[in-house]
Amino acid sequence: ARQGVPATKTVKIFRVDGEINTDDFSPAGDAATRPDIPLHALAMGKTKFPAGLKTIAEYRAAGFEVAFVGDVVGTGSSRKSACNSVQWAIGEDIPFVPNKRNGGVIIGGVIAPIFFNTAQDSGALPIKADVSKLKMGDVVTVDTVKGEIRGEAGEVLSTFKLSPNTLADE
């Protein structure tokens, strides 16, 4: 059984400004590697955020769960490989399932509908919220009960509604 949505989750922000499309997550030039998720994930962000994988790995090595944050996330084609790459970087291993991960938090001012659904189906927590106060490297608490993203001093940086409202049950 999968774990439910936690009431609160503390995460470190990995932020990419502007629009991040599925080709930024899963470059067409690397299409041949798509069946091999760990290998294909190495191409994520190579033009849009080239130091991204290194930064995310550093945050994780320091013991943080990472939230991928962007203004506009996942536009373009409906490549599942785009979500696979993000989850490989920020998610957790699935026991007895090699080369695949689930979990992770994705926060976007806009999240493309197909990407949102794919993230949700893959066990991630996609959240549509105002990201203007969420900065690279910030440590925030995502409160799924109150629908708040709070800074380290407890200040509310953004609010959201979990969507769909059945998400916690799924």
Side-chain angles (χ1 to χ4, degrees), residues 23 26-35 39-44 46 79:
D23 207 48
S26 174
D30 293 86
T33 64
R34 281 191 194 133
L39 178 64
H40 187 64
L42 296 174
M44 181 174 94
K46 67 184 190 182
R79 274 181 222 155

Side-chain angles (χ1 to χ4, degrees), residues 2-88:
R2 289 204 289 198
Q3 293 176 337
V5 176
T8 61
K9 207 177 232 305
T10 300
V11 294
K12 190 161 184 162
I13 302 284
F14 177 80
R15 164 91 194 231
V16 179
D17 293 329
E19 181 177 344
I20 312 121
N21 65 42
T22 55
D23 207 48
D24 295 321
F25 291 132
S26 174
D30 293 86
T33 64
R34 281 191 194 133
D36 184 336
I37 295 170
L39 178 64
H40 187 64
L42 296 174
M44 181 174 94
K46 67 184 190 182
T47 50
K48 179 92 175 166
F49 45 99
L53 290 173
K54 182 176 182 288
T55 302
I56 291 169
E58 287 167 0
Y59 289 176
R60 290 189 59 136
F64 291 100
E65 187 172 341
V66 176
F68 189 97
V69 176
D71 296 313
V72 180
V73 181
T75 53
S77 78
S78 58
R79 274 181 222 155
K80 183 158 178 37
S81 56
C83 200
N84 285 340
S85 292
V86 175
Q87 283 192 299
W88 189 257

Side-chain angles (χ1 to χ4, degrees), residues 48-160:
K48 179 92 175 166
F49 45 99
L53 290 173
K54 182 176 182 288
T55 302
I56 291 169
E58 287 167 0
Y59 289 176
R60 290 189 59 136
F64 291 100
E65 187 172 341
V66 176
F68 189 97
V69 176
D71 296 313
V72 180
V73 181
T75 53
S77 78
S78 58
R79 274 181 222 155
K80 183 158 178 37
S81 56
C83 200
N84 285 340
S85 292
V86 175
Q87 283 192 299
W88 189 257
I90 69 171
E92 300 301 324
D93 289 334
I94 305 168
F96 311 109
V97 180
N99 299 331
K100 200 154 174 58
R101 291 184 175 154
N102 68 4
V105 177
I106 301 163
I107 306 170
V110 174
I111 302 176
I114 293 173
F115 189 88
F116 185 98
N117 293 341
T118 302
Q120 185 185 315
D121 291 346
S122 303
L125 179 59
I127 296 172
K128 288 183 228 170
D130 177 0
V131 298
S132 60
K133 293 181 180 161
L134 304 180
K135 307 283 183 254
M136 178 74 97
D138 284 356
V139 175
V140 301
T141 298
V142 177
D143 185 325
T144 62
V145 177
K146 292 183 179 171
E148 296 175 347
I149 300 171
R150 295 187 295 269
E152 288 188 281
E155 72 283 19
V156 176
L157 301 174
S158 188
T159 59
F160 63 91

